[in-house]
Amino acid sequence: MSNSKLIKIAAALFAIGIILFFVGSLFGGRGIFLNSSFQISVAGDMEYFEFEDRDLKAFTGVNIDVANMPVTFLPSDNDSYGVKLAYYATDKDNMTVTVKDNTLIVEYEPQKRYISFDFSFLSETKKEYVIVYLPKQEYGTIDASTSNGMISMEKVDVVVKKLILDTSNGPITASDISTDMITADTSNGSVSLSGIVSEEIRVKTSNAPVKVSSGEISVLEIRTSNGSVHLDGLTFAGKPDVFVKTSNGGISTDFATCRESDFRVKADTSNANIFVNGDNLRDNHYTTKDGDGRLNLKTSNGRIEMYFGLD
């Protein structure tokens, strides 16, 4: 590409930046909102609402369905059930917070689905968020769904029958949870799970890494692309069943409490090598047929490293 074309592109980007700067200033530094019908709302049409109740009726389930805001679960410091949230909405929008049939429901149902063009860097930022405070107890299903925001559930020390964490364009982190099953589903966001005791863990993301560490599991399934996968410090209840698939990223497993002979290993990659306990096998395919458990690892354009406890 010639220098003159590069100069023209740079000039065009600079002009767009100047326009966005003045548009953001005009709209009070907050931004504009474009709904699915391509109708534009300016910041003045959106109000900022805050809500907090730290003395909710007891519940054993959680159902959160929001958009464009992070969701955080925190341990309750006084064994009370609580929620705290802040969000932008028009007068016609509806944020529901209620406890029904022993389930906390937090639901954001705007009549206008919108895309936000955020210019908050030009003024004081008001954050949108959902925070749920959980006492230490047993729960049935906790289902949290958002978009363009993270989901965090760290060190809450609870027992959950089924845990569903679903977002896009945001990371998912969870730690110190006991559950029969956890699913973590995102895109363009990393997933980090630690200290999870679960019969089944299923993770799906893209364009981001996955890390699962320091937990006790039976079944582990991870699917991602354009991201690395790292497993370490895991112990297995019964026959281990591990499936990992990625692309354009490496895979590393460190199972210090397991022998290689505990697994039927199938590892495949391309344009890279496979390592077992630090030894370069100088091959991109590796299989064993001895163990009762399953370890299936597949990637491309990334090395595979497997570490096992020594016999």
Side-chain angles (χ1 to χ4, degrees):
M1 184 178 293
S2 65
N3 289 336
S4 61
K5 288 184 179 180
L6 290 174
I7 292 173
K8 289 179 181 179
I9 293 173
L13 292 174
F14 180 78
I16 292 172
I18 293 295
I19 293 171
L20 292 176
F21 179 86
F22 282 108
V23 169
S25 298
L26 178 64
F27 292 152
R30 169 62 191 173
I32 59 177
F33 301 86
L34 179 67
N35 69 19
S36 58
S37 299
F38 298 99
Q39 297 172 319
I40 295 176
S41 299
V42 300
D45 296 330
M46 308 292 286
E47 294 185 60
Y48 187 70
F49 297 93
E50 295 178 279
F51 175 84
E52 182 174 9
D53 188 343
R54 299 292 295 272
D55 193 24
L56 290 171
K57 185 169 63 174
F59 53 81
T60 57
V62 177
N63 191 337
I64 298 175
D65 186 6
V66 295
N68 302 312
M69 61 184 71
V71 176
T72 304
F73 294 89
L74 295 175
S76 174
D77 54 7
N78 57 3
D79 291 330
S80 64
Y81 301 79
V83 64
K84 181 179 180 181
L85 50 91
Y87 59 98
Y88 280 92
T90 65
D91 291 339
K92 294 181 180 180
D93 290 347
N94 181 27
M95 175 71 83
T96 299
V97 179
T98 187
V99 176
K100 182 179 180 180
D101 298 328
N102 295 319
T103 299
L104 170 66
I105 300 172
V106 180
E107 191 171 31
Y108 183 47
E109 296 182 301
Q111 290 187 354
K112 297 179 180 180
R113 297 290 181 180
Y114 62 82
I115 301 173
S116 171
F117 296 87
D118 194 351
F119 300 99
S120 58
F121 61 88
L122 299 173
S123 65
E124 181 181 355
T125 302
K126 291 185 177 180
K127 299 294 186 182
E128 297 178 275
Y129 56 82
V130 175
I131 301 173
V132 177
Y133 299 92
L134 297 175
K136 184 177 180 179
Q137 68 162 52
E138 293 188 10
Y139 295 86
T141 298
I142 294 180
D143 186 342
S145 176
T146 186
S147 59
N148 304 313
M150 72 168 189
I151 298 179
S152 176
M153 192 175 185
E154 298 185 86
K155 299 181 179 180
V156 291
D157 194 19
V158 295
V159 177
V160 185
K161 183 74 172 177
K162 188 175 184 180
L163 180 60
I164 305 170
L165 307 177
D166 187 353
T167 185
S168 60
N169 303 314
I172 294 175
T173 58
S175 68
D176 302 317
I177 300 165
S178 295
T179 178
D180 288 354
M181 178 180 181
I182 175 173
T183 62
D185 193 339
T186 183
S187 59
N188 304 312
S190 62
V191 177
S192 179
L193 307 177
S194 63
I196 305 294
V197 178
S198 179
E199 294 179 9
E200 186 175 343
I201 297 177
R202 300 192 183 274
V203 176
K204 184 179 180 181
T205 186
S206 60
N207 305 315
V210 175
K211 181 177 182 180
V212 181
S213 60
S214 305
E216 181 179 313
I217 60 176
S218 294
V219 177
L220 175 62
E221 180 179 303
I222 298 174
R223 297 177 184 269
T224 184
S225 59
N226 303 314
S228 62
V229 177
H230 180 69
L231 312 177
D232 74 82
L234 298 174
T235 58
F236 296 92
K239 297 179 182 179
D241 188 353
V242 179
F243 176 87
V244 177
K245 183 177 182 180
T246 184
S247 60
N248 302 314
I251 299 174
S252 64
T253 65
D254 189 347
F255 299 146
T257 61
C258 298
R259 299 183 300 270
E260 183 181 354
S261 57
D262 292 333
F263 298 93
R264 298 186 310 278
V265 179
K266 183 178 181 182
D268 292 283
T269 185
S270 59
N271 303 314
N273 288 334
I274 295 174
F275 297 75
V276 177
N277 288 335
D279 294 332
N280 187 350
L281 303 183
R282 302 190 183 281
D283 200 346
N284 51 19
H285 302 285
Y286 181 69
T287 60
T288 68
K289 299 180 180 180
D290 295 333
D292 293 329
R294 180 179 75 136
L295 179 60
N296 192 333
L297 311 176
K298 185 174 183 179
T299 185
S300 59
N301 303 314
R303 65 197 289 176
I304 295 177
E305 300 177 78
M306 295 174 284
Y307 294 90
F308 302 96
L310 298 178
D311 293 325

